[in-house]
């Protein structure tokens, strides 16, 4: 097990693909054979961003997306064929980068986290860890993001404190156990495939 504490000062900023806002990039991975870290070389990316006005999402062919509201409430994503209800914070929605999506803000601006992955390159999951109790973490990369205040976790019998908006990056070569001790964490899990 390898752990790395990522603090807000470690994060970088980059524009949305459509230029409509700014991501706070928390962690990511790109193809090793690519000279440039861009959307074409992306394997996976975990980021936060404010959504302050209704508008279209970026078109991201070949990218699978998971999203969760971590600040504010009332977000609905609308596509021509369905709606994705994120009105309640810490609800995960899954959609593809090809979908035409426009946001509706029913109660003002929100803050969201996004976990994105190149389809076929990685399997991804995004969940809020709110209740004490143990859960199993499979081998892979896991990001524990303190989205709402400080939190404490126990990982494989070792205790970790994560301050507000910091992220514990955990790289596991075999399964381990995770338990929430206090607070709330957003858990992003990535397993590279192929």
């Amino acid at each position: 097990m390898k752990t790395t504490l990522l603090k807000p000062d470690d994060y970088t900023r980059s524009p949305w693909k459509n230029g409509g806002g700014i991501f706070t990039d928390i962690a990511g991975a790109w193809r090793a054979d690519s000279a440039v870290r861009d959307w074409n070389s992306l394997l996976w990316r975990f980021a936060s961003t404010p959504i302050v006005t209704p508008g279209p999402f970026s078109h991201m062919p070949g990218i699978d997306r998971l999203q969760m509201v971590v600040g504010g409430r009332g977000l609905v994503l609308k596509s021509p064929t369905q709606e994705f209800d994120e009105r309640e914070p810490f609800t995960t929605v899954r959609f593809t980068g090809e979908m035409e999506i426009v946001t509706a803000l029913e109660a003002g601006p929100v803050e969201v986290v996004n976990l994105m992955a190149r389809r076929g390159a990685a399997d991804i999951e995004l969940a809020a860890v709110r209740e004490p109790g143990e859960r199993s973490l499979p081998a892979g990369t896991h990001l524990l993001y303190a989205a709402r205040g400080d939190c404490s976790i126990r990982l494989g019998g070792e205790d970790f404190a994560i301050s507000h908006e910091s992220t514990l990056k955990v790289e596991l070569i075999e399964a381990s156990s995770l338990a929430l001790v206090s607070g709330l964490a957003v858990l992003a899990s990535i397993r590279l495939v192929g």
Side-chain angles (χ1 to χ4, degrees):
M1 176 175 74
K2 178 183 176 188
T3 60
T4 308
L5 185 61
L6 307 174
K7 298 181 179 178
D9 288 347
D10 301 320
Y11 305 159
T12 59
R13 310 292 185 272
S14 61
W16 294 359
K17 192 172 179 214
N18 68 8
I22 299 290
F23 280 120
T24 297
D25 291 308
I26 297 170
W30 288 261
R31 284 196 333 261
D33 63 353
S34 178
V36 181
R37 289 183 168 192
D38 61 13
W39 290 104
N40 294 322
S41 62
L42 178 74
L43 294 175
W44 63 266
R45 177 187 219 172
F46 182 62
S48 68
T49 189
I51 300 176
V52 297
T53 58
F57 270 26
S58 301
H59 184 66
M60 298 181 179
I63 302 293
D64 289 328
R65 301 184 64 176
L66 296 172
Q67 182 174 281
M68 175 188 293
V69 172
V70 296
R73 61 186 332 110
L75 177 64
V76 180
L77 309 182
K78 298 184 177 187
S79 81
T81 57
Q82 68 187 111
E83 286 189 358
F84 299 91
D85 185 351
E86 290 185 82
R87 288 179 178 93
E88 289 302 313
F90 302 103
T91 301
T92 303
V93 297
R94 181 183 295 263
F95 53 96
T96 67
E98 292 86 356
M99 293 189 86
E100 292 179 29
I101 288 180
V102 176
T103 56
L105 296 168
E106 297 181 349
V110 295
E111 182 82 18
V112 301
V113 290
N114 289 278
L115 179 58
M116 298 170 259
R118 170 91 36 217
R119 193 167 304 125
D123 291 332
I124 54 175
E125 297 294 333
L126 185 65
V129 181
R130 297 186 259 202
E131 303 296 329
E134 203 165 278
R135 67 171 64 202
S136 180
L137 287 185
T141 299
H142 303 277
L143 305 165
L144 289 142
Y145 175 66
R148 187 176 280 176
D150 299 348
C151 68
S152 298
I153 61 152
R154 184 167 296 122
L155 184 62
E158 188 176 349
D159 289 340
F160 295 89
I162 310 168
S163 60
H164 179 60
E165 294 186 345
S166 293
T167 304
L168 183 67
K169 181 179 182 183
V170 180
E171 296 167 271
L172 296 175
I173 57 172
E174 59 185 32
S176 187
S177 62
L178 166 71
L180 180 69
V181 176
S182 66
L184 181 153
V186 173
L187 172 63
S189 296
I190 305 103
R191 186 178 63 86
L192 294 178
V193 295

